[in-house]
Amino acid sequence: MKLVQRPICWGLDLVERVLDWPFGQVWNPLRHLGALGFFMYWIVAATGIYLYIFFDTGITAAYQSVEYMTHDQWYLAGVMRSLHRYASDGMVLFMVLHLLREFARDRYRGVRWFSWVTGAPVIALLFVCGITGYWLVWDQLAQFIAVRTTEWFDWLPIFGTPIAANFLTSDMLDDRFFSLMIFLHIAAPLLLLLVMWIHLWRVSRPKIHPPRGLAVGMFLAFIVLSLVKPALSHAPADLGKVAGIVNLDWFYLGFYPLLDYWSSGTVWAAALIGTLTLVLLPWMPPMRRAPAAVVHLDHCNGCSRCADDCPYGAVTMQPRTDGAKFDLEAVVNPTLCVSCGICVGACPSSTPFRRRRDIATGIDLPHLSLADLREAVGKASVGLVGDARVIVIGCENTLNGNTAGDVSTSYVTVLCAGMLPPPFIDYVLNRDLADGVVVAGCAREDCNNRFGNTWTEARIDRTRDPTLRRRVPRERLARLWLARGDRGSLGRRVSAFAETLKSLPKLPHKGDEAPVPPVLRKSENTENA
Amino acid sequence: MRDIAKYAGQAIVLLALVAGVGFLASSPAYQHFPEGQALIKMTFVHGGQHVGGCRRRTAAELEEMAANMRRLMDCPRDRLPVVIELDVDGQRVHREVIAASGLHGDGPAVYYDSFQVAAGAHSIAVRLRDTDREEGFDYEGSAEFVLEPSQLLVVQFRPEAGGFVFR
């Protein structure tokens, strides 16, 4: 699977990096594909409501009403029609890119299977919406779609008489057919909205609105397109003739040529195999899941910060069960936990300023505990020399295994930037383990665990608990949120930060040699004993 | 200045994006049906005769049956397949034996197919057999047509209208 993911990932990273220049990390459209899909949906819904006012259901009336909107009322209904069409196409585009991106970034397996699998009916319903929409115009394209679709469906052994036979001559059609189609074209988007809601069911704080500036820019661009290239109809449908050349909307109708080259059964087989592959992808192969976070009630005061910060809704609060004086306790749902450690970073008990070697916190990861993290930070400080010693604490995606430091720089890998409890930054500087700290993570709006970098920023800026203490000199702290394509610059950026440290006044109590961190000192004493 | 350049960059990217959307929304055109050709579509839903005739049950057979199931005549449900032939300008274009539909083969034969021909004058003949006869056909129809490019000629079989209908 990696062989398929890598080239897609490489291509998307490249485009993302290019788009970071004009848009910045926060507005980069590639980081809001799902939200842009939702935005397109609302444009389509709003314009559709307006178009419905003027649309007439009837064999000839349907076409005439669309022509009226397109030409006579071009300034409003015509623009609405164009927006309706192009935003629908945009929705397909953003949906496909969203799917590819989540697949390439391996964000479709494990606990994310639910969102992936429920995305399949979103695709199917979106195509039903688009195809029924084109059908309503009842021009030659609609005729082509009607005939080919019904011929395709007739392959299924469920119809007593061929439904394609309804489109042999004009006298076989009646106005009720268009009433049925408009019903389908309204019901399918409503059902689509329901499935989109289900798609986000297990996503806490889903991003369904793109940044306002990006949304405005995108909307204006679609308005320009609608004015420059208005959506037009083909000639009216004529069932006495075969539509020879059709201007297909390749977003929705791109698979129709297959029906001319393959048999209907083959196209059904391809659709079935494609759908099954898509749906079963999260288990091909299944993700090896790390152990879920564990709550230690003796360190949990029921503050709810872990539940608030968990991007997957895996932590909930329930009434206390251990008789402690607090009202609530945290509970982890292992089926939803991705073991990102953001809850550890959120816990106010997660502090390294303790004498005990086996420090514990209210919620912890079995495979990378708070004690492990303190030990890793301590080890990272050993051997650092010079007056610009830097410890880089970065998420595994950003460091990506590149943790070979030098005499003045060392790296500590955490599962997510959000896993880092703010007191650790204070700890490094206060205990003189380094002269500066770099917190490195995924690009803004693109955290692999959704909110790790956002929460970390807020904790450092003291807008979200647990906050970084005021005494920590902010000039000795750097935050690097790097796009995937920009990871190679990490070393250079860290060096640049180290240069700035040299000009700063020395911290109090700093000696010429790197001190041995307390945890190691204790360990060495134990070994000597 | 830097901001202006970034806004300009955003505008260029967004306009390029929608330009791509606008292009693919209707281009490139797809040639679904070749020029200079016409199309014949033939369709029907017609049940062949039942396999074998009805038989009168004997008194002993009726006695063995439940009272509510007793029917004097025993008529098989299975239907014969329907044979269809299409000739264009005296040449056999298509011949097919269409089995009766349904799990028990007791439904009508369902047929829908299309055939491309060059535009122009053509003589078209169709034949259908729905009985167990070994020679000949039960229904035949023929007509002369001058088909224009892209014209659709529909051939339906409607026994209530006397057989084949050309439209």
Side-chain angles (χ1 to χ4, degrees):
Chain A
M1 203 56 79
K2 294 277 181 200
L3 288 176
V4 184
Q5 288 172 314
R6 272 188 197 130
I8 302 172
C9 214
W10 182 85
L12 287 172
D13 287 351
L14 184 68
V15 177
E16 196 170 283
R17 199 176 172 190
V18 170
L19 294 184
D20 267 345
W21 179 76
F23 288 97
Q25 290 188 351
V26 176
W27 279 17
N28 191 324
L30 281 185
R31 300 202 175 95
H32 300 281
L33 292 168
L36 283 171
F38 262 93
F39 182 56
M40 293 292 116
Y41 179 90
W42 296 122
I43 294 177
V44 175
T47 51
I49 290 168
Y50 186 80
L51 295 176
Y52 182 66
I53 296 169
F54 299 97
F55 183 74
D56 205 343
T57 55
I59 298 167
T60 53
Y63 184 82
Q64 287 167 355
S65 64
V66 175
E67 285 298 280
Y68 164 78
M69 288 186 265
T70 308
H71 299 292
D72 295 1
Q73 206 195 115
W74 65 268
Y75 48 88
L76 193 55
V79 172
M80 292 280 195
R81 182 193 180 193
S82 302
L83 269 178
H84 193 69
R85 173 181 292 190
Y86 294 137
S88 306
D89 292 332
M91 199 172 170
V92 175
L93 176 68
F94 294 132
M95 178 190 72
V96 170
L97 288 173
H98 178 54
L99 182 148
L100 283 175
R101 195 163 182 269
E102 298 309 298
F103 167 71
R105 302 253 168 118
D106 211 16
R107 295 198 289 229
Y108 64 98
R109 298 189 294 156
V111 300
R112 293 171 168 108
W113 72 267
F114 183 82
S115 297
W116 181 266
V117 169
T118 53
V122 169
I123 298 172
L125 278 168
L126 187 54
F127 275 87
V128 172
C129 295
I131 291 167
T132 53
Y134 274 105
W135 208 317
L136 284 176
V137 181
W138 203 232
D139 58 358
Q140 288 190 354
L141 178 61
Q143 178 186 336
F144 165 75
I145 296 166
V147 172
R148 297 309 273 148
T149 307
T150 49
E151 286 176 348
W152 184 42
F153 271 76
D154 276 335
W155 183 87
L156 300 172
I158 54 174
F159 301 106
T161 57
I163 50 174
N166 291 308
F167 299 97
L168 289 174
T169 56
S170 297
D171 58 333
M172 292 173 136
L173 269 181
D174 66 29
D175 294 349
R176 282 181 299 174
F177 168 75
F178 287 91
S179 299
L180 172 68
M181 292 312 294
I182 196 92
F183 169 76
L184 280 177
H185 192 58
I186 292 172
L190 291 174
L191 196 56
L192 174 63
L193 186 61
L194 173 70
V195 179
M196 283 159 67
W197 175 64
I198 294 171
H199 179 59
L200 299 174
W201 213 337
R202 286 172 68 163
V203 180
S204 65
R205 294 188 181 86
K207 285 196 297 185
I208 57 171
H209 302 299
R212 190 169 296 170
L214 176 63
V216 169
M218 195 68 77
F219 183 71
L220 289 176
F222 274 98
I223 290 274
V224 170
L225 174 65
S226 301
L227 291 169
V228 172
K229 190 175 183 293
L232 300 173
S233 305
H234 288 59
D238 177 3
L239 291 177
K241 289 199 165 187
V242 184
I245 297 178
V246 282
N247 294 313
L248 289 184
D249 179 339
W250 292 90
F251 291 98
Y252 283 98
L253 312 174
F255 69 94
Y256 274 83
L258 290 178
L259 291 163
D260 285 345
Y261 296 101
W262 294 355
S263 70
S264 294
T266 308
V267 177
W268 274 117
L272 182 67
I273 291 169
T275 305
L276 281 177
T277 305
L278 189 72
V279 168
L280 297 176
L281 215 51
W283 297 276
M284 298 164 59
M287 181 174 262
R288 291 173 60 190
R289 294 171 62 174
V294 176
V295 176
H296 299 297
L297 281 183
D298 47 341
H299 293 272
C300 172
N301 65 4
C303 69
S304 303
R305 291 186 180 102
C306 51
D308 287 344
D309 281 9
C310 178
Y312 305 97
V315 186
T316 51
M317 304 306 294
Q318 70 174 24
R320 205 77 191 188
T321 59
D322 61 349
K325 60 179 181 180
F326 307 110
D327 294 334
L328 299 170
E329 66 183 32
V331 182
V332 176
N333 180 349
T335 61
L336 296 179
C337 177
V338 302
S339 311
C340 62
I342 287 178
C343 51
V344 181
C347 183
S349 300
S350 296
T351 172
F353 290 104
R354 292 184 186 179
R355 289 187 177 278
R356 292 176 55 184
R357 177 173 169 73
D358 52 340
I359 55 170
T361 182
I363 187 165
D364 211 349
L365 293 180
H367 58 298
L368 184 54
S369 66
L370 195 73
D372 296 335
L373 183 58
R374 186 172 75 168
E375 189 169 342
V377 169
K379 281 183 179 172
S381 70
V382 175
L384 290 182
V385 294
D387 52 358
R389 296 164 298 143
V390 176
I391 292 181
V392 181
I393 305 174
C395 77
E396 58 183 0
N397 287 294
T398 306
L399 299 188
N400 200 23
N402 299 320
T403 53
D406 53 33
V407 291
S408 60
T409 308
S410 59
Y411 293 82
V412 175
T413 304
V414 287
L415 301 172
C416 174
M419 182 186 174
L420 179 69
F424 269 77
I425 301 169
D426 188 15
Y427 177 71
V428 171
L429 298 174
N430 185 270
R431 296 294 168 92
D432 197 24
L433 304 184
D435 300 301
V437 177
V438 173
V439 179
C442 308
R444 287 185 174 87
E445 303 291 332
D446 198 22
C447 173
N448 207 43
N449 290 302
R450 304 187 59 234
F451 300 123
N453 50 12
T454 309
W455 295 163
T456 303
E457 282 272 22
R459 291 168 190 164
I460 292 172
D461 293 337
R462 297 181 59 78
T463 56
R464 190 177 187 87
D465 280 336
T467 57
L468 180 63
R469 294 180 70 175
R470 283 200 173 86
R471 72 178 186 186
V472 176
R474 296 312 200 258
E475 65 277 13
R476 291 184 178 273
L477 170 64
R479 295 170 252 184
L480 296 180
W481 310 121
L482 300 177
R484 289 173 57 92
D486 209 17
R487 286 174 184 165
S489 69
L490 177 63
R492 180 171 47 78
R493 289 170 190 248
V494 170
S495 299
F497 170 65
E499 283 301 313
T500 65
L501 293 175
K502 290 177 182 173
S503 61
L504 296 177
K506 289 195 174 184
L507 283 168
H509 69 259
K510 183 186 171 196
D512 291 331
E513 293 184 8
V516 178
V519 62
L520 286 187
R521 202 178 294 135
K522 187 175 180 181
S523 170
E524 284 168 6
N525 291 342
T526 308
E527 283 169 14
N528 291 338
Chain B
M1 192 64 190
R2 189 176 166 84
D3 283 347
I4 293 172
K6 289 206 169 193
Y7 284 128
Q10 288 174 15
I12 289 168
V13 170
L14 291 177
L15 290 175
L17 175 83
V18 296
V21 169
F23 177 77
L24 286 174
S26 57
S27 311
Y30 172 63
Q31 175 101 37
H32 160 60
F33 193 71
E35 290 177 11
Q37 297 282 303
L39 192 68
I40 300 171
K41 277 192 180 177
M42 192 157 65
T43 180
F44 60 81
V45 179
H46 177 64
Q49 275 193 347
H50 288 288
V51 177
C54 295
R55 174 183 73 84
R56 182 184 287 269
R57 288 194 173 96
T58 62
E61 285 176 321
L62 288 171
E63 190 64 31
E64 286 177 7
M65 297 172 75
N68 64 321
M69 299 292 286
R70 282 175 193 154
R71 286 192 183 152
L72 186 60
M73 301 304 291
D74 176 17
C75 296
R77 294 171 60 183
D78 305 15
R79 288 181 181 275
L80 289 167
V82 172
V83 181
I84 185 86
E85 280 186 5
L86 169 69
D87 290 358
V88 177
D89 300 330
Q91 297 289 316
R92 176 71 41 81
V93 173
H94 189 68
R95 183 180 200 278
E96 189 171 338
V97 179
I98 306 133
S101 60
L103 293 174
H104 295 283
D106 57 345
V110 180
Y111 182 77
Y112 177 96
D113 209 345
S114 52
F115 308 92
Q116 266 183 44
V117 292
H122 294 288
S123 66
I124 292 162
V126 279
R127 294 176 284 276
L128 182 142
R129 182 194 304 151
D130 59 0
T131 59
D132 58 356
R133 64 194 291 174
E134 294 184 358
E135 296 290 326
F137 287 85
D138 301 295
Y139 298 92
E140 294 191 29
S142 62
E144 304 279 333
F145 292 96
V146 179
L147 298 175
E148 295 174 4
S150 298
Q151 185 178 341
L152 174 66
L153 173 68
V154 177
V155 182
Q156 289 176 297
F157 177 67
R158 291 164 59 185
E160 72 277 10
F164 287 98
V165 177
F166 297 87
R167 305 169 78 184

